[in-house]
Amino acid sequence: MNFFFIFILGLCFGSFINVLIYRVPIGLSILTSSQCIYCKKKILIFDNIPVLSFLLLKGRTRCCGKKIKIQYPIVEFIFALSFIYSFYFSDDIFNFIFLSMFFFILTAIFFIDWQHLIIPHVFSWSLIAIGLIYNFIFNQQILDYLFGAILGALLVLITNGIYFVTKKKQGMGMGDVFLLSGIGGCLGLVNCFISFFWASILATFYIIFSGQLSNLQAKIAFGSFLCLAAASLMILNNFYSLSNFFY
């Protein structure tokens, strides 16, 4: 199949991810037609072409001239690349669907949690479902993924319990619990724990370099770092020379 077609298709799915990122956290229907987030006028079809419309409109809405978030073309481009990656490294159509859905959900969660500090359960529960269903059907080591889903959730719960006892406040929410469970269901037990460790390191560096180290009340989107860690591990696992080096 032509990689250009796969890229274009990935851009279209990325555009739909943008719809989810904007609408799901505020409870809007994802089935209604696109409209300007500023003046609420309907967006014309030729102004809704992924990436291209943003460039042609020079980053501004046609209807009211307000700035369009750079997030929109970024999300579309990132998912298009992950869509090509999923196609290139897939053994069959089922593996392609699994990888595509994995990156689709993680992309949506990353930006939603980064912007709103929430992880809608519909995404994390979907991640758990696709991971366990896919590995139950196509992987002989299903127990590894089942334990990954269970112990991933327990890891966050235990960590959160320790934090609550020592700091007298909640550190992570249930969204992180279900998200790491989904990562365990998709990547297995070992990679689940590695994801948590790697995300903790990334979050620590972010806190330090963003100047929030002295602010004990600061909240960070830990789910976004979990998504970044899980996506990088999924990619790493398909580069055998690198995976052999780390494992």
Side-chain angles (χ1 to χ4, degrees):
M1 189 179 295
N2 192 302
F3 276 94
F4 178 75
F5 174 75
I6 293 295
F7 182 74
I8 296 301
L9 190 59
L11 289 177
C12 294
F13 281 119
S15 180
F16 182 62
I17 293 176
N18 276 320
V19 173
L20 298 177
I21 292 170
Y22 174 68
R23 297 189 186 186
V24 171
I26 58 178
L28 292 178
S29 172
I30 63 172
L31 301 178
T32 56
S33 58
S34 298
Q35 58 182 0
C36 177
I37 63 174
Y38 302 109
C39 65
K40 307 304 179 184
K41 288 185 178 179
K42 185 177 179 179
I43 298 177
L44 302 175
I45 294 178
F46 51 80
D47 285 338
N48 210 18
I49 303 172
V51 178
L52 182 61
S53 291
F54 180 87
L55 296 175
L56 293 176
L57 292 171
K58 298 180 180 180
R60 292 189 175 273
T61 62
R62 184 185 298 274
C63 50
C64 57
K66 297 289 182 65
K67 284 187 177 181
I68 303 173
K69 290 183 179 179
I70 189 65
Q71 165 204 305
Y72 291 102
I74 289 177
V75 169
E76 292 160 356
F77 188 73
I78 287 175
F79 184 74
L81 292 180
S82 69
F83 203 60
I84 289 179
Y85 167 87
S86 300
F87 178 79
Y88 183 80
F89 282 100
S90 295
D91 299 322
D92 51 50
I93 185 62
F94 299 106
N95 189 222
F96 173 55
I97 294 173
F98 167 69
L99 286 175
S100 300
M101 292 181 68
F102 177 80
F103 288 116
F104 183 97
I105 294 172
L106 289 189
T107 303
I109 293 176
F110 177 92
F111 284 93
I112 290 175
D113 194 37
W114 191 264
Q115 294 176 13
H116 301 279
L117 295 177
I118 60 171
I119 302 175
H121 292 330
V122 62
F123 294 116
S124 48
W125 290 347
S126 297
L127 195 64
I128 295 172
I130 67 166
L132 293 181
I133 291 173
Y134 175 80
N135 287 303
F136 176 77
I137 297 174
F138 298 102
N139 201 311
Q140 295 179 349
Q141 297 177 332
I142 181 58
L143 287 180
D144 178 41
Y145 298 91
L146 182 60
F147 284 134
I150 296 172
L151 296 181
L154 286 176
L155 176 60
V156 179
L157 288 172
I158 292 172
T159 303
N160 205 29
I162 295 173
Y163 187 86
F164 182 81
V165 170
T166 56
K167 300 292 185 179
K168 305 301 179 183
K169 60 180 180 179
Q170 184 172 323
M172 292 176 282
M174 289 303 296
D176 296 310
V177 174
F178 293 126
L179 174 55
L180 192 59
S181 178
I183 291 171
C186 291
L187 292 175
L189 181 59
V190 173
N191 283 325
C192 174
F193 280 80
I194 294 176
S195 294
F196 185 80
F197 177 71
W198 178 227
S200 300
I201 293 176
L202 293 175
T204 301
F205 275 111
Y206 171 76
I207 291 173
I208 293 173
F209 289 107
S210 63
Q212 300 184 60
L213 190 60
S214 59
N215 185 6
L216 298 179
Q217 303 299 320
K219 294 182 178 181
I220 64 167
F222 188 67
S224 297
F225 295 105
L226 281 175
C227 291
L228 193 59
S232 62
L233 279 175
M234 179 65 84
I235 294 172
L236 177 65
N237 285 337
N238 283 313
F239 288 95
Y240 299 109
S241 59
L242 289 176
S243 62
N244 289 334
F245 175 79
F246 282 100
Y247 298 100

